[in-house]
Amino acid sequence: MTYTVNNKKLNNWVGEVARLCQPDSIYWCDGSKKEYDELMAGMVASGAATPLKQRPDCYLFRSDPSDVARTEERTYIATPTRDEAGPTNNWIDPNELKTTMTALYKGCMKGRRMYVIPFSMGPIRSPIAKIGVQLTDSPYVVCSMRIMTRMGEAVIGALGVDGDFIPCLHSVGAPLAEGQKDVPWPCAPMEKKYVSHFPQENLIWSFGSGYGGNALLGKKCLALRIASAMASREGWMAEHMLILRLKNPAGKQYHIAAAFPSACGKTNLAMMVPTIPGWKCETIGEDIAWMKIAPDGRLHAINPESGFFGVAPGTSYASNPMAMESVKKNTIFTNCALTDDGDVWWEGMDGAPPAHAIDWKDGHWTPANKTPAAHPNARFTVPASQCPVICSDWEKPEGVPIDIFIFGGRRSNVVPLVTEAFDWDHGVFWGATAASETTAAIVGEIGVLRRDPFAMTPFCGYNMADYFRHWLEMGDRLGNKAPRIFYVDWFRKSPDGRWLWPGFGENSRVLKWMCERVEGRAGAKTTPIGYLPTESDLDLTGLNIPEENLKQLLEVDIDEWRAEARSIEEFFAQFGARFPERLTRQLRNLEKRLG
Ligand code: OXD
Ligand code: MN
């Protein structure tokens, strides 16, 4: 160790875990580039990582084929009663879960080193930030955490002698016997994987997976599940939201936070290049927002992360040029394909596919193959500072004041391009009823929908009904300083299955309307579901879009909405007595307006 740790709670916990997991050695991470380079060199030597000839300081990892994504079915919220976790979470009694997992952790780090990763979610010493410490036996996790969080010695300084932290215990669950050779991606079988949260104790225990949100515990586990439970107790908000700053041609700034389910374009929107002349977008975050009411009475947001863990397939210069520019150096790629000239490739990248590549399973691949070269959940892990449009204030400790909230999802029909809520409660109703198609929609019919309130279904660390109530109460506290709330759907299709809206940079036209609504300058029509722009309220200059598309994008079909109201009623019913009466009233008001 190159530094001294005087924090008793930390020293005791590290000792306790070491006795249980029995690693060969303990290593305290300092967070330096030298340390990162040494760990990477070790992983290259062992065959776990491949350096990329075409991209400086970039490495490719291939996971075990059984360990490729967040495992929602193995993710638990262990509250004292099932009701505190609510109907949308997996629940196990905390004592039972601890007994099961303690048995798994016993000796699980044998033959491996245990790394201590002190990290801060949010700029170190920001009034909104929180400190966590992750113990892990995965050097891949250490290197990824160095990109995704502020980690190392500086955090130990901020923790001090008696500072508190959120303990995050992680093991890949693959001990090595004496002389046993390691595999490139150690992990445990599915039935032994657990991603467990104990919200009453602010404690995270993860076992058996080395991938993404299962293993980089600062992200979904701490910054969303544990933080959402802390936020409801402490009166702030932890949300699955991107944060961006939009600047109009006069230089006026607007800050927007938007919640969309995974793979609905959060990263693309956060780094968008507006097509309207003079408007600029700057990225603050692309996945998570932590927000507190500041002394000015407004809601201020920080991005608790310091890197992007983005989905690679589909990312291209056409869909997200800023992401493509960001990943040119210092990036970890996981489960992408490797080209013969030493670069990465994935489906949807610009240009023709390579004639030959090594696929994510380490096999030979040509375009004739039926299976994809990159896994559909292949990822890039990149420092946020490398994004060419990162906002100069992205690390401001007090955050940025939010003007606008956006909710949305992927719906091929029913939901218009954009709707403004009548007021805060109506906006919370929009958030609570957000839905997204989980499969391709059948033309002309409502597709297979999953309701994903606030895009938080997999990430809410307590009963979702109480979470809705928390949103309503935040509105009461914010009063007339509350952000305005909008709902968007970039994914509308025509009855014959064509996209009605071009999306990407053209979405700036919709954002411009929102900003002008905030200023009281843009018009709107009142409909039963909220305020909608008319064609003339949107700036469509230079956009070549058929009249018929606009008509469909901005219409409200009363019959479809009556069916929608019935489906919302069914969805709300699962929350029982805990469900806030104010949202039931919103549903009744919608029904009345629909007639
Ligand atoms: C997600 C992610 O799955 O951000 O939402 O990785
Ligand atoms: Mn996400």
Side-chain angles (χ1 to χ4, degrees):
M1 195 191 321
T2 55
Y3 50 87
T4 312
V5 181
N6 297 318
N7 188 289
K8 236 200 188 145
K9 173 177 165 181
L10 178 54
N11 284 329
N12 287 345
W13 179 59
V14 170
E16 222 175 82
V17 172
R19 279 189 294 280
L20 175 64
C21 299
Q22 300 165 35
D24 283 4
S25 60
I26 302 175
Y27 176 85
W28 291 70
C29 301
D30 63 22
S32 64
K33 174 78 165 68
K34 182 170 168 280
E35 174 181 275
Y36 177 93
D37 288 343
E38 282 169 8
L39 289 173
M40 275 296 181
M43 289 187 280
V44 170
S46 76
T50 306
L52 295 171
K53 286 197 206 101
Q54 305 293 335
R55 295 178 197 243
D57 273 319
C58 289
Y59 299 89
L60 172 66
F61 287 80
R62 293 187 193 97
S63 79
D64 187 274
S66 70
D67 198 29
V68 291
R70 285 187 290 105
T71 46
E72 285 183 22
E73 69 282 10
R74 306 293 307 168
T75 299
Y76 297 95
I77 302 296
T79 42
T81 63
R82 186 188 286 272
D83 209 29
E84 286 159 291
T88 58
N89 282 313
N90 296 321
W91 178 84
I92 299 183
D93 171 81
N95 295 323
E96 181 190 331
L97 186 54
K98 280 191 178 168
T99 306
T100 308
M101 290 189 72
T102 301
L104 291 169
Y105 280 130
K106 203 157 184 234
C108 71
M109 294 189 187
K110 274 188 185 156
R112 299 190 185 279
R113 175 190 264 186
M114 181 171 90
Y115 300 88
V116 184
I117 313 172
F119 64 94
S120 175
M121 296 313 289
I124 297 173
R125 296 181 206 274
S126 152
I128 313 181
K130 300 266 178 217
I131 291 179
V133 180
Q134 177 162 351
L135 305 184
T136 182
D137 49 8
S138 162
Y140 166 84
V141 165
V142 177
C143 290
S144 302
M145 287 289 283
R146 182 170 184 270
I147 294 176
M148 296 304 296
T149 71
R150 285 96 179 161
M151 74 92 133
E153 188 171 350
V155 179
I156 291 291
L159 189 57
V161 179
D162 48 18
D164 204 7
F165 64 92
I166 297 154
C168 309
L169 171 54
H170 172 249
S171 170
V172 293
L176 291 169
E178 192 74 35
Q180 184 184 343
K181 191 171 157 17
D182 203 1
V183 293
W185 187 279
C187 63
M190 192 56 91
E191 69 280 6
K192 286 194 179 163
K193 290 191 209 296
Y194 285 88
V195 183
S196 303
H197 308 76
F198 303 89
Q200 272 68 16
E201 296 172 66
N202 291 341
L203 176 67
I204 300 164
W205 280 10
S206 169
F207 185 91
S209 168
Y211 205 89
N214 297 340
L216 316 180
L217 301 187
K219 194 174 180 60
K220 304 299 184 183
C221 299
L222 193 161
L224 286 176
R225 298 194 192 96
I226 291 294
S228 62
M230 290 175 99
S232 91
R233 294 194 296 262
E234 297 169 4
W236 54 284
M237 304 174 96
E239 300 297 332
H240 191 206
M241 287 181 171
L242 67 90
I243 313 167
L244 66 82
R245 170 182 288 172
L246 200 61
K247 275 195 204 154
N248 74 12
K252 174 131 202 225
Q253 301 176 353
Y254 302 88
H255 295 102
I256 299 178
F260 305 117
S262 314
C264 285
K266 275 210 308 299
T267 306
N268 292 350
L269 187 64
M271 299 176 194
M272 183 234 290
V273 181
T275 50
I276 330 176
W279 287 71
K280 287 211 161 54
C281 169
E282 294 174 354
T283 314
I284 296 167
E286 51 82 78
D287 196 39
I288 300 175
W290 279 4
M291 294 171 281
K292 264 193 183 160
I293 301 177
D296 65 3
R298 302 187 64 194
L299 199 55
H300 283 239
I302 62 162
N303 170 10
E305 302 187 280
S306 64
F308 307 140
F309 180 66
V311 177
T315 306
S316 67
Y317 276 94
S319 67
N320 193 338
M322 294 305 122
M324 293 301 282
E325 287 296 314
S326 305
V327 300
K328 282 184 161 168
K329 55 182 183 186
N330 306 318
T331 303
I332 297 174
F333 295 94
T334 308
N335 286 347
C336 299
L338 177 68
T339 62
D340 294 350
D341 62 352
D343 200 358
V344 275
W345 186 82
W346 50 75
E347 279 69 19
M349 208 187 237
D350 313 80
H356 174 266
I358 303 295
D359 68 11
W360 70 278
K361 287 185 173 169
D362 205 11
H364 289 280
W365 184 92
T366 70
N369 275 43
K370 293 253 179 322
T371 53
H375 185 278
N377 192 39
R379 297 281 182 149
F380 52 79
T381 311
V382 61
S385 57
Q386 286 185 193
C387 178
V389 290
I390 195 78
C391 179
S392 53
D393 287 333
W394 81 282
E395 300 199 270
K396 225 175 160 181
E398 67 276 28
V400 295
I402 297 298
D403 300 289
I404 290 168
F405 276 137
I406 306 177
F407 303 122
R410 188 182 283 270
R411 298 276 306 254
S412 57
N413 46 26
V414 183
V415 181
L417 177 65
V418 57
T419 312
E420 183 186 352
F422 292 128
D423 53 27
W424 182 268
D425 279 20
H426 185 224
V428 174
F429 176 75
W430 267 117
T433 58
S436 204
E437 278 153 19
T438 51
T439 63
I442 301 155
V443 175
E445 287 179 29
I446 295 178
V448 180
L449 276 191
R450 159 161 129 150
R451 295 263 164 217
D452 189 357
F454 298 84
M456 283 288 280
T457 305
F459 308 122
C460 184
Y462 60 111
N463 191 309
M464 192 63 104
D466 298 345
Y467 168 86
F468 296 155
R469 191 180 304 280
H470 179 53
W471 262 86
L472 294 166
E473 283 167 5
M474 287 301 290
D476 295 341
R477 286 174 56 205
L478 285 160
N480 63 7
K481 295 198 169 142
R484 296 273 277 271
I485 302 180
F486 297 81
Y487 195 95
V488 302
D489 181 10
W490 316 131
F491 301 95
R492 276 297 289 256
K493 284 186 175 172
S494 66
D496 58 351
R498 283 174 300 106
W499 297 115
L500 292 175
W501 181 248
F504 305 117
E506 303 296 2
N507 292 337
S508 57
R509 299 173 190 278
V510 175
L511 302 194
K512 179 183 175 191
W513 179 73
M514 293 176 186
C515 296
E516 290 177 348
R517 288 294 293 167
V518 169
E519 298 292 352
R521 281 199 273 116
K525 61 181 177 195
T526 305
T527 78
I529 64 163
Y531 300 118
L532 257 76
T534 62
E535 257 171 64
S536 57
D537 295 321
L538 287 175
D539 180 349
L540 300 171
T541 326
L543 179 68
N544 192 5
I545 181 168
E547 195 57 35
E548 182 51 30
N549 284 22
L550 282 173
K551 197 174 151 287
Q552 289 176 49
L553 284 163
L554 300 176
E555 84 190 348
V556 177
D557 182 309
I558 299 295
D559 285 338
E560 282 181 350
W561 273 94
R562 286 195 186 119
E564 184 73 11
R566 285 193 293 277
S567 135
I568 290 171
E569 171 120 45
E570 267 169 42
F571 174 68
F572 281 176
Q574 70 180 307
F575 296 105
R578 281 175 108 109
F579 192 71
E581 164 60 29
R582 276 159 76 175
L583 290 185
T584 309
R585 211 173 311 141
Q586 285 297 325
L587 177 59
R588 298 295 163 243
N589 290 345
L590 171 65
E591 287 164 347
K592 255 189 245 145
R593 290 192 302 264
L594 290 167

